[in-house]
Amino acid sequence: MLSLWFALILMGGWQQSRNIALHCPYTLQPAPNYRYCTDPDDRIQLTDGNYTQGYFWTQKSTVGWQNVSPIFIVVDLKRNVPIAGASFNTAAGVAGVEFPAAIWVLVSEDGKRWREVSDLVKASNEQNGPPPSQGYAVHRFWTDRWQTFGRFVAFVVIPRGSFCFVDEIEVYEGGASRATQPLVGEEVTDLKVFAQKKEIERCALRRFRSDLETLKQLFERAGLDEAKRSALKSQLDELAASFPKDLRISDPAPFPTILPLNEWHAQLFKVQAQLWRAKRVPNFTAFVASSPYDPIPYLTDEPVPKSLQQRTELLLPGLILLRNETRAIAVNIVNARDHPITVQVKVTGLPDNIVVKIYHAVWTDTKEGIPIAAALLEGERFTVPAGMVGQAWLSVKAAKRALKGEYEGKILVASDAGDRATFATKIVVVPLTLPDQPSLHIGGWDYTDVEERYGVNPKNRDAFIAHLRERFVDIPWASRFVLPAGKFDESGRMVEPPDTSAFDRWLERWKGASRFYVFVNAGETFEGSKAGTPEFERKVGEWISFWWRHAQKRGLKKGQFGVLLVDEPHTPEQDALTIAWAKAIKKAAPDVVIWVDPTWSEPQKMNPQLPELVDVLCPQRAIWLRNPKAHEEFYLGWRDKGKRLALYSCSGPSKLLDPYAYYRLQAWHCFAIGADEMFFWAFGDNGGNSCWNAYLDPRNCYTPLFLAPDSITAAKHMEAIREGVQDYEILKMLQRFAKTEKGERRAEAEKLLTEGLKKVLEPIGVNELSWHVDKDRTLADRLREQAIRLMVAPPKGFNPFFPEFKELPIIH
């Protein structure tokens, strides 16, 4: 008995109330989908009284979900009963599994009209303490302090991260007197809408608490005199006293996470403006960012970097452009006033063949609670709230017909508060031209072959494709539905050809693309024949031969039509399946490209037949960066044997990744290893939710755009992909230059291609792919400018080791 008592204490405390949910039926929405624990008994295991033994999420007694939120578990107690509490037994702490962010409990007498009881996570933490913050742990969220009743009990679970696991839920019987009292609180008729409102409220209040605490810390270290410190502290105390207890939202669907979130939040930034003025920051400051991809300051006592404040020699902002090249200039605008200002940005004096599009960065919050300024709305007029740093983003393109030469213009920044800033800028157009079709080919599993997939639908699909193509995406991906099988007789001969309409429609949507790839999602059988058998080989051969002939009829040539058979093979079984399909395809249609994305952390363990059979090897960049030596030896060895290389990335959430390190420099990595394709998962994957309301993301968002059901908005991450493609082309030009030149010019070019390239790429490891990690984001620009100068007019005493880059002006 003593050991039983200790066991109960470890599970969360002695529980005397009777579990009235034992063996009661329940519903699960959505259905559990974590493959290592999902089984038919998931429908009874949560109330069977049995707790999981062993590693939690690999046991069949556990119920698990991946990449879904919210999760609804509704228990039917079969009769109205008084309820004193509930419990939810789960585990987390390793392998990316975290404890739930919230478990909202509601009760109902009829299963249609609900009343909110409490957040079980919060109630349990207050009563029993929170779960361990580090390491694997099983934890039971529970309370017995409620006074409510009902027949139906809903657990509305908001996972934190990608996973959620539970093995047992309990509901505890309350005192009989409670059953005669009416339910109180606002009536809820739609649990999904309730969950959305609660999640927006939870994330918003988290934002408010975090910002208030950060601002308090800034005041403490600001070094202000007592009078100023006391005045600002009084302002903060007033804010804290009026802290919102909730966030009333009538309709969660259109709620945008644009910062500031509401009037209380705007008041907080006004206090930040007062801090800035107390530290002698002018009411209005405009300056050109060292790199357009540097994060903009959010809460800071230094909105203007000291390095800029201390400059004594100020030169002009500007760009060196090739013809047909697009580059960005970012102007940060600090508003230290107590009210928002409307800013207008114009560019004058440049010729018509230098086209400038003006955008502004929009501050938004993320599901993870990390503010970003990534979205780029087009328009020369925008608002900078009080106490915030805004940014104008100038996308500058030299047309193909632009004449070489130096062009001087002005960037004019004006506000409705009477502020004026003028930047004299110089654009140098050199006698080199980027091709319309770059050497580096880009794709991102867009799956625009179907009517609706991820965040792409008929309302935004055309704009989505146009946006991608404008940024050099030229490898569309289709799902297996564009390659139906047709019908076969017993001998494996095709007797009825498949329908080609989906394939033809896909090609038409991407007319003129350089390559067309299809994810086949190959299985152990094809049309009833097991992989590796003669029947399988014949059927696959007839199938792929038909589609290759049809592709040729539609104008595709060798190298333009390819297939991915098994996604991310990293086990002997997956390699063997890929090999079986590849053999059949290559025997029947050798000109069809077989593309593979192996994720072996030690690629030498890969089945050697796999790289022998396929045409394109596309390892994952993050895995490469974790084990660079092994990957270089393996993949460069196969490159030297004639295999084509590519790189792909699939980390997330995408908006927290560095546009420079993760997106732009992947093109540089491709150049360094001789790859001619690169990919990102996934251009259309917005996590199943509008990018403008990340609080409701049910899982990680991967798109580098701001994708909504009816709109496409540019973002810095996608702009960085375009710049990376252009960088790659300039490096290819430099490579050709090095081969044709002689003497000192050749030596300098080779030095840039070796030591210079190393200097750009070497600082970037896996950790540096995150946007919040400090790094020098000017290195790629410096090498690019050095390369251009060398190719068009190499000066005497040319120094390729990045002497001081352009000095950037600051104007008050």
Side-chain angles (χ1 to χ4, degrees), residues 15 30 87 142 230 239 245 282 292 306 328 348 417 424 447 449 498 530 569 576 582 604 640 671 714 811:
Q15 198 47 258
S87 76
W142 73 276
S230 178
L239 269 177
K245 292 182 174 58
K306 288 182 180 177
T348 64
Y447 292 134
D449 58 302
K530 186 174 176 56
Q604 290 78 5
D640 295 341
F671 177 82
I811 297 178

Side-chain angles (χ1 to χ4, degrees), residues 415-427:
S415 83
D416 59 355
D419 307 298
R420 298 289 183 272
T422 301
F423 299 85
T425 185
K426 181 180 289 186
I427 307 297

Side-chain angles (χ1 to χ4, degrees), residues 562-581:
V563 292
L564 164 61
L565 300 169
V566 178
D567 188 32
E568 297 185 335
H570 58 278
T571 67
E573 295 77 16
Q574 291 171 321
D575 283 0
L577 184 59
T578 304
I579 290 166
W581 278 80

Side-chain angles (χ1 to χ4, degrees), residues 88-401:
F88 185 98
N89 198 59
T90 184
V94 294
V97 182
E98 301 178 73
F99 289 109
I103 304 170
W104 297 100
V105 177
L106 299 91
V107 294
S108 171
E109 295 182 79
D110 59 6
K112 298 177 181 178
R113 294 170 297 168
W114 299 87
R115 306 283 180 169
E116 175 190 341
V117 180
S118 176
D119 174 9
L120 183 57
V121 171
K122 182 179 179 182
S124 179
N125 289 350
E126 291 174 351
Q127 181 174 339
N128 313 302
S133 59
Q134 293 183 336
Y136 174 81
V138 178
H139 183 79
R140 189 162 66 98
F141 293 99
W142 73 276
T143 185
D144 59 358
R145 296 177 178 175
W146 295 339
Q147 294 185 33
T148 188
F149 73 94
R151 170 178 173 174
F152 297 92
V153 180
F155 295 77
V156 180
V157 187
I158 308 295
R160 180 182 278 114
S162 300
F163 305 96
C164 180
F165 301 99
V166 58
D167 67 341
E168 196 71 14
I169 54 177
E170 297 179 349
V171 178
Y172 304 125
E173 187 174 30
S177 62
R178 186 64 188 89
T180 63
Q181 301 177 24
L183 292 173
V184 297
E186 182 179 344
E187 185 175 273
V188 173
T189 57
D190 189 323
L191 290 178
K192 182 179 179 181
V193 172
F194 167 84
Q196 291 175 336
K197 289 181 178 180
K198 283 296 184 181
E199 183 59 358
I200 290 173
E201 182 179 275
R202 183 188 72 84
C203 292
L205 295 180
R206 176 191 61 190
R207 173 83 279 133
F208 298 162
R209 283 190 295 269
S210 174
D211 290 353
L212 183 61
E213 182 58 33
T214 300
L215 203 51
K216 287 179 180 178
Q217 294 172 7
L218 289 175
F219 286 171
E220 291 300 321
R221 70 178 190 222
L224 302 176
D225 61 48
E226 181 57 30
K228 290 180 178 178
R229 194 191 70 80
S230 178
L232 290 172
K233 184 178 182 303
S234 176
Q235 293 282 331
L236 272 186
D237 290 344
E238 288 183 19
L239 269 177
S242 62
F243 190 90
K245 292 182 174 58
D246 53 31
L247 199 71
R248 294 292 176 181
I249 301 167
S250 57
D251 184 1
F255 181 88
T257 58
I258 296 174
L259 304 173
L261 292 171
N262 65 4
E263 182 56 33
W264 184 93
H265 204 202
Q267 291 296 325
L268 183 142
F269 285 100
K270 289 182 181 180
V271 178
Q272 174 162 255
Q274 294 176 39
L275 171 63
W276 291 350
R277 294 199 305 274
K279 296 198 68 175
R280 299 184 183 280
V281 174
N283 284 342
F284 175 89
T285 307
F287 62 93
V288 178
S290 297
S291 166
Y293 301 112
D294 280 340
I296 307 173
Y298 178 65
L299 289 174
T300 178
D301 59 354
E302 194 177 281
V304 182
K306 288 182 180 177
S307 58
L308 291 175
Q309 296 177 33
Q310 296 170 355
R311 281 187 180 159
T312 56
E313 182 181 356
L314 302 176
L315 302 179
L316 305 179
L319 292 170
I320 296 180
L321 291 177
L322 279 66
R323 298 179 182 122
N324 210 28
E325 183 180 19
T326 302
R327 294 286 166 177
I329 297 174
V331 180
N332 288 2
I333 299 164
V334 179
N335 178 17
R337 286 189 170 87
D338 284 334
H339 59 83
I341 57 173
T342 299
V343 172
Q344 186 172 25
V345 178
K346 292 185 176 181
V347 178
T348 64
L350 295 176
D352 292 342
N353 53 27
I354 297 177
V355 179
V356 181
K357 289 185 178 180
I358 300 173
Y359 302 80
H360 68 275
V362 180
W363 278 106
T364 58
D365 203 4
T366 60
K367 181 82 167 183
E368 297 71 27
I370 300 174
I372 56 169
L376 298 173
L377 284 176
E378 190 169 359
E380 63 181 26
R381 190 184 297 269
F382 56 95
T383 298
V384 180
M388 295 192 77
V389 182
Q391 185 179 74
W393 181 281
L394 281 59
S395 181
V396 186
K397 180 175 183 178
K400 286 180 73 173
R401 66 181 185 276

Side-chain angles (χ1 to χ4, degrees), residues 273 362 699 752 756 782:
V362 180
R699 55 180 176 80
L752 279 176
R782 296 184 186 198

Side-chain angles (χ1 to χ4, degrees), residues 293 327 393 471 658-668 678 680 715-727:
Y293 301 112
R327 294 286 166 177
W393 181 281
R471 287 151 182 83
D658 192 335
Y660 171 80
Y662 182 83
Y663 286 101
R664 182 178 175 185
L665 289 193
Q666 182 160 305
W668 290 67
M678 76 172 183
F680 296 94
K716 294 179 182 180
H717 301 73
M718 195 72 212
E719 300 309 295
I721 292 175
R722 170 162 58 184
E723 291 203 359
V725 174
Q726 296 175 148
D727 294 338

Side-chain angles (χ1 to χ4, degrees), residues 444-607:
W445 292 279
D446 55 283
Y447 292 134
T448 46
D449 58 302
V450 293
E451 286 304 292
E452 189 165 348
R453 186 73 177 269
Y454 299 119
V456 182
N457 62 67
K459 291 182 179 180
N460 62 19
R461 184 181 56 236
D462 290 347
F464 174 72
I465 292 174
H467 192 91
L468 296 183
R469 298 193 76 159
E470 188 179 344
R471 287 151 182 83
F472 302 122
V473 175
D474 64 343
I475 304 181
W477 279 89
S479 61
R480 60 187 175 87
F481 302 111
V482 301
L483 302 179
K487 293 185 179 180
F488 299 84
D489 63 18
E490 292 182 358
S491 70
R493 184 174 61 87
M494 182 180 285
V495 294
E496 183 178 319
D499 181 4
T500 65
S501 60
F503 183 88
D504 296 340
R505 190 163 51 246
W506 174 51
L507 261 61
E508 192 63 30
R509 286 174 182 165
W510 284 88
K511 192 172 184 177
S514 66
R515 297 165 188 179
F516 293 82
Y517 287 168
V518 180
F519 175 38
V520 173
N521 198 15
E524 295 286 347
T525 63
F526 179 71
E527 292 301 295
S529 298
K530 186 174 176 56
T533 63
E535 295 81 7
F536 169 87
E537 187 174 284
R538 180 168 185 181
K539 287 179 179 177
V540 171
E542 295 244 337
W543 166 75
I544 197 64
S545 295
F546 169 85
W547 282 111
W548 176 229
R549 289 193 301 270
H550 183 73
Q552 289 176 297
K553 290 177 184 176
R554 293 301 309 265
L556 300 189
K557 301 187 178 349
K558 180 179 179 180
Q560 286 192 288
F561 176 54
V563 292
L564 164 61
L565 300 169
V566 178
D567 188 32
E568 297 185 335
H570 58 278
T571 67
E573 295 77 16
Q574 291 171 321
D575 283 0
L577 184 59
T578 304
I579 290 166
W581 278 80
K583 284 181 176 179
I585 289 172
K586 281 301 180 186
K587 183 177 179 180
D591 289 342
V592 172
V593 174
I594 298 181
W595 187 101
V596 66
D597 54 349
T599 54
W600 288 90
S601 58
E602 298 177 65
Q604 290 78 5
K605 293 182 178 180
M606 190 188 306
N607 188 319

